[in-house]
Amino acid sequence: MTKQLLPLIEKIPQSILGFLEYSPSCWSSSLSKTTQAHARILKSGAQNDGYISAKLIASYSNYSCFDDANLVLQSIPDPTVYSFSSLIYALTKAKLFSKSLGVFSRMFSYGLIPDSHVLPNLFKVCAELSAFEAGKQIHCISCVSGLDMDAFVQGSLFHMYMRCGRMEDARKVFDRMFEKDVVTCSALLNGYARKGCLEEVVRILSEMEESGIEPNIVSWNGILSGFNRSGYNKEAVIMFQKMHHLGCFPDEVTVSSVLPSVGDLEKLDLGRQIHGYVAKQGLLKDKCVISAMIDMYGKSGDASGIVKLFEEFEVMETGVCNAYITGLSRNGLVDKALEMFELFKEKKMDLNVVSWTSIISGCAQNGKDIEALELFREMQVAGVKPNRVTIPSMLPACGNIAALVHGRSAHGFAVRINLLEDVHVGSALIDMYAKCGRINMSQIVFDMMPTKNLVCWNSLMSGYSMHGKAKEVMSIFESLVRTRLKPDFISFTSLLSACSQVGLTDEGWRYFGMMSEEYGIKPRLEHYSCMVNLLGRAGKLQEAYDLIKEMPSEPDSCVWGALLNSCRLENNVDLAEIAAEKLFVLEPENPGTYVLLSNIYAAKGMWTEVDRVRNKMESLGMKKNPGCSWIQVKNTVYTVLAGDKSHPQIDQIKEKMDEISKEMRKSGYRPNLDLVMQDVEEQEKEQILWGHSEKLAVVFGLLNTPDGTPLQVIKNLRICGDCHSVIKFISGYEGREIFVRDTNRCQISSNHVFTESHSIILHKFQPNSLSLSALIDSFQGLWSGLI
DNA sequence: GTAGGGTTAG
């Protein structure tokens, strides 16, 4: 029709057949025809006609020529709702949501009220943008015109509130809806499941039954995934069983939705049953099912299950590989995970941000901090952008080795991509800065977070606790209890740990009591460990031992270690022997117990016993790991090894150490070390002096930084009490803030248990080739050391 | 013209 007409139109004078010119059915069939028609419309002055212009806008929008459509729109003297609606529709369809909203606000500024065709589009836009405030305003507008009773408007409005996470508003809309169908009900079920409201889910299901709406597989899957996503694992499993009970058969989506919950609950039996069902139904070809299955076995600690599934699945699929990497790392097989990751790279697999984040966090959680940072660098070289999960995965690695420069650049990155409001990122930054000795930065990050969850508060408290700032920890705790958040066992660990470091016995007891009495938290091993430390440090050894005897569960090595360390401070042989006997059983591999016990004997002059312990240690072939500390001087982190005398500044260091020793004696300072040294050979004294990497590191720092600069030292082993006292003295003597931390994960026992030898000369530290090359290549000379 | 369900990283 158009084809026949167009040539005619060209020949007939416009003035006569104008109406034909304006018939959109003649020119809207292609973009070029639209453009031609537009030119003619302009020539004839017909653009002022609302209908013609609206059709032009619709046609341009239809061909995604939004600029042309906009030009037409702007040229209309009196635009109508109709003029705007086609552009809004097309922009929404093209996913240009913000632009769509912009056109609407222009329309509204003309005093035009959206009709029942525009409103669903607008709600869709608000849903996509999670623009709750805008959505609510548009809802109000629809109420004024009474269009909120339109079925389409209601449907989209309901969806908008759901997408914005406004369950209550969505529910109000839902309750007013005239037509409720299975789709709407499923959405509501999913929403309540995400909130963990099992009762509400059950109620809606029975209401559906009353209204004759039968839940379908999508409804059930929505319930399961909702519960799972919000961490309501038990509820997910309950509903899975209920669904099965009602005769609704799981499909691949059901299985992949419920398996993560099964894994979190470590219900290996149920997981295996599902595995059997899945195999029978032929669902083992689905990549999500396989990933979820691997994940389930990984969480349940069945490493062989992971490997078997992965090897049976023939396709190399990114998601499956990611689940495999995580499963391996989770079960301590991080070396195999690294090996597999290398293989995936070789095979040029499409590794995504989840793949990289998985391996990075696997390394960081298994003590491979340098590898984690190397992978983080490699990830960026590969052009994969880190996201809100990558950052909190790599930050612990920075904290563990005090790689402040890396941590700070991750912080900068987080700022650039606007992640500072994320509680995971914030908490990880607080922790990293605290571990790198920058507690003031932890405080700044904390203060700037708009919303804080318990993890953020706990990170800050543990940071101050690490720095031995008990007053601050207590005052943060007071602020915490004034919020709506309830402190948990971790909050109390920081409190007790801080009190024990500073010797606040009364406060320690008060918090210990408050924990169970006011908050119903049963004290765990770590809390007892703190209390033993607290009492031991206050010289109340017997009281500490009595507390251990009263413990409801079997004390672990941290508790006995705390007692043994306290015995060292008081040189109490009787209790030391009891504690050591327990530790020999609990930690037969730890040479620290032998060393500590022998030191206590030595302090008492019980040389026969000293020999016995040392001989036993030697006969067991035990060697002490070399002590190694890191210190940052300007922008370089130096590695300092215990007993290493090959440093170019050796003379200066020795001189400084002598000066400090003299000053200590002059001020009547009597570290325990002196007691041990009374009866030892000159040569051994020398070894004792050099046997501690943290002291060496501090002196090295003193010599190479301007007066007054704060120093931070990180140590690979637990820091011994003597070193702590000496460093505290140096700090006062030099007028410097000196922060010493060990990399031991067990915060409570840090700083209190000896593992450092006083008398055994250390073997040269040998970094493996991977760590060494990582240091040299990626950190561009950042790490140079004394090795 | 609106509208429902999946895996793997913190």
Side-chain angles (χ1 to χ4, degrees):
Chain A
M1 164 84 172
T2 321
K3 271 184 191 168
Q4 292 162 346
L5 268 176
L6 269 175
L8 279 173
I9 292 168
E10 296 297 329
K11 288 175 191 163
I12 298 170
Q14 283 180 7
S15 53
I16 303 171
L17 283 177
F19 71 93
L20 263 184
E21 291 273 353
Y22 307 145
S23 172
S25 57
C26 299
W27 47 257
S28 61
S29 62
S30 79
L31 179 60
S32 60
K33 282 176 190 166
T34 305
T35 321
Q36 286 166 19
H38 188 188
R40 287 198 301 276
I41 287 166
L42 283 178
K43 228 178 188 176
S44 64
Q47 75 271 22
N48 289 343
D49 183 303
Y51 174 75
I52 294 290
S53 309
K55 283 295 177 187
L56 254 183
I57 294 165
S59 191
Y60 273 131
S61 303
N62 194 29
Y63 296 111
S64 301
C65 298
F66 301 117
D67 289 339
D68 296 294
N70 222 350
L71 273 175
V72 178
L73 187 59
Q74 280 168 3
S75 68
I76 307 173
D78 296 309
T80 62
V81 172
Y82 194 45
S83 326
F84 286 93
S85 64
S86 47
L87 183 55
I88 291 175
Y89 170 66
L91 285 169
T92 310
K93 205 172 164 190
K95 296 195 190 302
L96 297 168
F97 303 118
S98 303
K99 285 196 172 164
S100 179
L101 213 53
V103 174
F104 165 68
S105 78
R106 193 138 45 95
M107 164 184 156
F108 200 62
S109 70
Y110 277 88
L112 299 168
I113 306 297
D115 63 14
S116 61
H117 293 266
V118 180
L119 284 169
N121 281 302
L122 296 176
F123 289 135
K124 187 190 164 89
V125 166
C126 296
E128 293 286 348
L129 297 174
S130 287
F132 166 68
E133 287 299 331
K136 200 165 69 174
Q137 285 177 25
I138 299 170
H139 182 185
C140 292
I141 296 167
S142 75
C143 289
V144 174
S145 60
L147 287 170
D148 59 325
M149 301 311 253
D150 179 278
F152 283 117
V153 173
Q154 281 182 333
S156 54
L157 181 61
F158 167 76
H159 185 65
M160 184 274 292
Y161 280 133
M162 290 292 297
R163 288 282 295 271
C164 294
R166 309 296 299 213
M167 277 306 290
E168 282 175 25
D169 297 303
R171 185 58 193 259
K172 279 184 200 153
V173 179
F174 179 84
D175 288 339
R176 286 173 160 206
M177 283 169 95
F178 296 114
E179 292 167 32
K180 291 168 187 149
D181 58 8
V182 67
V183 173
T184 326
C185 291
S186 303
L188 195 68
L189 285 168
N190 179 255
Y192 278 115
R194 275 174 199 234
K195 296 260 175 202
C197 308
L198 182 63
E199 284 177 18
E200 200 55 41
V201 166
V202 173
R203 193 177 308 144
I204 295 165
L205 281 171
S206 69
E207 278 170 19
M208 283 170 72
E209 203 184 337
E210 282 166 26
S211 342
I213 305 170
E214 202 187 331
N216 58 20
I217 185 77
V218 179
S219 324
W220 287 111
N221 292 347
I223 294 171
L224 299 184
S225 76
F227 279 132
N228 170 248
R229 283 168 75 155
S230 48
Y232 290 88
N233 300 313
K234 268 189 196 162
E235 286 76 2
V237 171
I238 291 171
M239 292 315 282
F240 175 70
Q241 280 157 344
K242 182 170 175 144
M243 157 192 186
H244 206 113
H245 193 66
L246 290 172
C248 190
F249 290 103
D251 66 359
E252 53 269 57
V253 178
T254 321
V255 174
S256 11
S257 306
V258 79
L259 275 174
S261 294
V262 176
D264 282 334
L265 296 170
E266 297 180 30
K267 285 181 175 284
L268 191 54
D269 286 344
L270 179 61
R272 288 204 175 115
Q273 278 176 36
I274 296 175
H275 190 169
Y277 171 85
V278 161
K280 215 162 129 192
Q281 298 293 315
L283 300 177
L284 277 178
K285 288 192 172 66
D286 188 286
K287 59 178 186 178
C288 291
V289 170
I290 296 292
S291 313
M293 198 77 77
I294 290 177
D295 176 62
M296 182 278 296
Y297 279 120
K299 284 175 181 164
S300 312
D302 183 347
S304 59
I306 311 174
V307 179
K308 203 162 163 251
L309 263 165
F310 181 77
E311 284 171 359
E312 279 169 9
F313 191 68
E314 283 151 10
V315 195
M316 279 288 220
E317 199 277 330
T318 307
V320 175
C321 295
N322 297 348
Y324 190 47
I325 294 284
T326 306
L328 291 172
S329 320
R330 204 172 252 155
N331 286 278
L333 302 169
V334 64
D335 288 325
K336 175 140 184 151
L338 277 166
E339 197 185 296
M340 291 311 297
F341 194 77
E342 281 303 313
L343 183 78
F344 299 155
K345 276 195 295 193
E346 266 171 38
K347 295 208 166 180
K348 301 250 180 294
M349 277 190 59
D350 185 23
L351 296 173
N352 58 22
V353 61
V354 181
S355 325
W356 287 96
T357 308
S358 304
I359 190 71
I360 289 169
S361 80
C363 285
Q365 285 166 12
N366 286 285
K368 294 199 176 282
D369 302 304
I370 292 170
E371 287 83 347
L373 293 185
E374 162 64 9
L375 282 159
F376 182 68
R377 189 194 63 94
E378 211 184 300
M379 166 184 185
Q380 279 150 305
V381 173
V384 181
K385 255 184 100 178
N387 66 9
R388 61 187 332 112
V389 184
T390 320
I391 299 301
S393 304
M394 60 76 72
L395 280 172
C398 302
N400 291 343
I401 55 170
L404 180 62
V405 179
H406 292 76
R408 222 171 1 208
S409 72
H411 186 181
F413 181 79
V415 173
R416 284 201 298 281
I417 60 169
N418 202 19
L419 287 185
L420 283 198
E421 295 188 4
D422 188 297
V423 285
H424 292 112
V425 174
S427 311
L429 281 171
I430 292 169
D431 187 61
M432 180 277 294
Y433 276 122
K435 284 183 173 160
C436 289
R438 297 289 194 273
I439 191 69
N440 57 329
M441 278 305 295
S442 302
Q443 183 73 55
I444 290 169
V445 171
F446 180 83
D447 291 341
M448 283 175 74
M449 291 181 71
T451 43
K452 305 164 177 90
N453 66 5
L454 188 58
V455 181
C456 309
W457 287 88
N458 282 346
S459 302
L460 190 67
M461 283 172 66
S462 108
Y464 275 110
S465 173
M466 239 181 264
H467 285 247
K469 303 205 180 231
K471 264 191 200 160
E472 282 81 352
V473 180
M474 290 191 283
S475 103
I476 297 162
F477 180 78
E478 297 307 324
S479 312
L480 167 63
V481 294
R482 282 197 292 272
T483 66
R484 280 168 54 201
L485 298 167
K486 260 184 77 181
D488 67 355
F489 71 97
I490 298 172
S491 326
F492 281 98
T493 308
S494 297
L495 268 175
L496 295 178
S497 171
C499 289
S500 78
Q501 283 182 56
V502 193
L504 295 169
T505 319
D506 293 342
E507 281 81 355
W509 272 120
R510 189 163 67 84
Y511 288 122
F512 190 72
M514 182 196 285
M515 184 163 72
S516 45
E517 284 154 23
E518 280 182 41
Y519 293 95
I521 304 165
K522 246 177 69 189
R524 299 185 180 205
L525 288 167
E526 57 260 45
H527 302 115
Y528 280 103
S529 187
C530 288
M531 289 309 289
V532 170
N533 255 324
L534 182 69
L535 296 167
R537 290 202 147 201
K540 300 173 179 175
L541 275 177
Q542 191 56 44
E543 212 175 310
Y545 184 48
D546 290 343
L547 183 70
I548 296 180
K549 284 192 287 190
E550 282 169 24
M551 280 175 64
S553 58
E554 205 51 42
D556 69 347
S557 56
C558 285
V559 176
W560 289 117
L563 185 69
L564 183 60
N565 185 50
S566 305
C567 292
R568 173 70 181 87
L569 299 174
E570 298 276 314
N571 291 324
N572 182 324
V573 174
D574 294 341
L575 284 177
E577 284 176 342
I578 296 175
E581 279 310 316
K582 296 282 182 185
L583 286 168
F584 289 147
V585 179
L586 290 166
E587 283 184 333
E589 309 284 309
N590 188 354
T593 312
Y594 292 88
V595 175
L596 192 42
L597 186 63
S598 93
N599 285 336
I600 294 173
Y601 284 137
K604 285 273 187 181
M606 300 162 75
W607 301 110
T608 332
E609 277 76 9
V610 172
D611 284 344
R612 187 171 52 80
V613 174
R614 289 191 186 176
N615 290 341
K616 194 176 169 192
M617 190 177 164
E618 262 168 43
S619 69
L620 289 168
M622 275 185 187
K623 280 179 192 162
K624 229 193 67 55
N625 292 325
C628 159
S629 293
W630 295 283
I631 182 163
Q632 178 166 341
V633 172
K634 288 173 194 155
N635 276 334
T636 306
V637 176
Y638 291 90
T639 307
V640 184
L641 280 172
D644 184 359
K645 297 181 189 172
S646 59
H647 190 267
Q649 285 172 290
I650 188 85
D651 293 335
Q652 274 176 282
I653 291 175
K654 200 171 176 324
E655 203 179 300
K656 188 78 193 171
M657 274 202 168
D658 287 344
E659 178 196 330
I660 290 164
S661 295
K662 267 182 212 154
E663 282 303 320
M664 284 174 80
R665 284 193 176 80
K666 223 194 273 172
S667 63
Y669 197 97
R670 300 274 298 171
N672 285 323
L673 203 62
D674 272 7
L675 296 171
V676 188
M677 285 171 117
Q678 280 170 6
D679 296 303
V680 295
E681 301 283 321
E682 231 2 80
Q683 191 193 348
E684 203 169 356
K685 273 189 190 172
E686 179 92 334
Q687 287 175 357
I688 292 168
L689 197 62
W690 290 92
H692 296 269
S693 61
E694 54 268 54
K695 275 191 293 189
L696 286 175
V698 167
V699 173
F700 172 68
L702 291 174
L703 292 172
N704 292 287
T705 52
D707 289 348
T709 320
L711 295 178
Q712 59 163 325
V713 174
I714 311 293
K715 181 164 170 63
N716 69 333
L717 301 168
R718 288 171 184 162
I719 297 155
C720 80
D722 286 340
C723 272
H724 243 275
S725 338
V726 171
I727 290 164
K728 208 169 161 192
F729 177 87
I730 298 176
S731 169
Y733 174 65
E734 292 283 324
R736 294 210 196 193
E737 200 181 314
I738 304 178
F739 170 63
V740 192
R741 177 177 71 80
D742 63 39
T743 52
N744 194 306
R745 302 272 162 110
C746 181
Q747 192 202 335
I748 337 83
S749 61
S750 77
N751 308 349
H752 305 303
V753 180
F754 288 109
T755 53
E756 184 78 47
S757 159
H758 280 184
S759 51
I760 298 164
I761 256 299
L762 309 156
H763 305 278
K764 194 106 177 145
F765 175 57
Q766 287 292 332
N768 64 32
S769 58
L770 180 63
S771 56
L772 199 60
S773 65
L775 287 174
I776 295 162
D777 294 347
S778 68
F779 302 160
Q780 293 153 0
L782 180 71
W783 291 63
S784 60
L786 304 177
I787 16 175

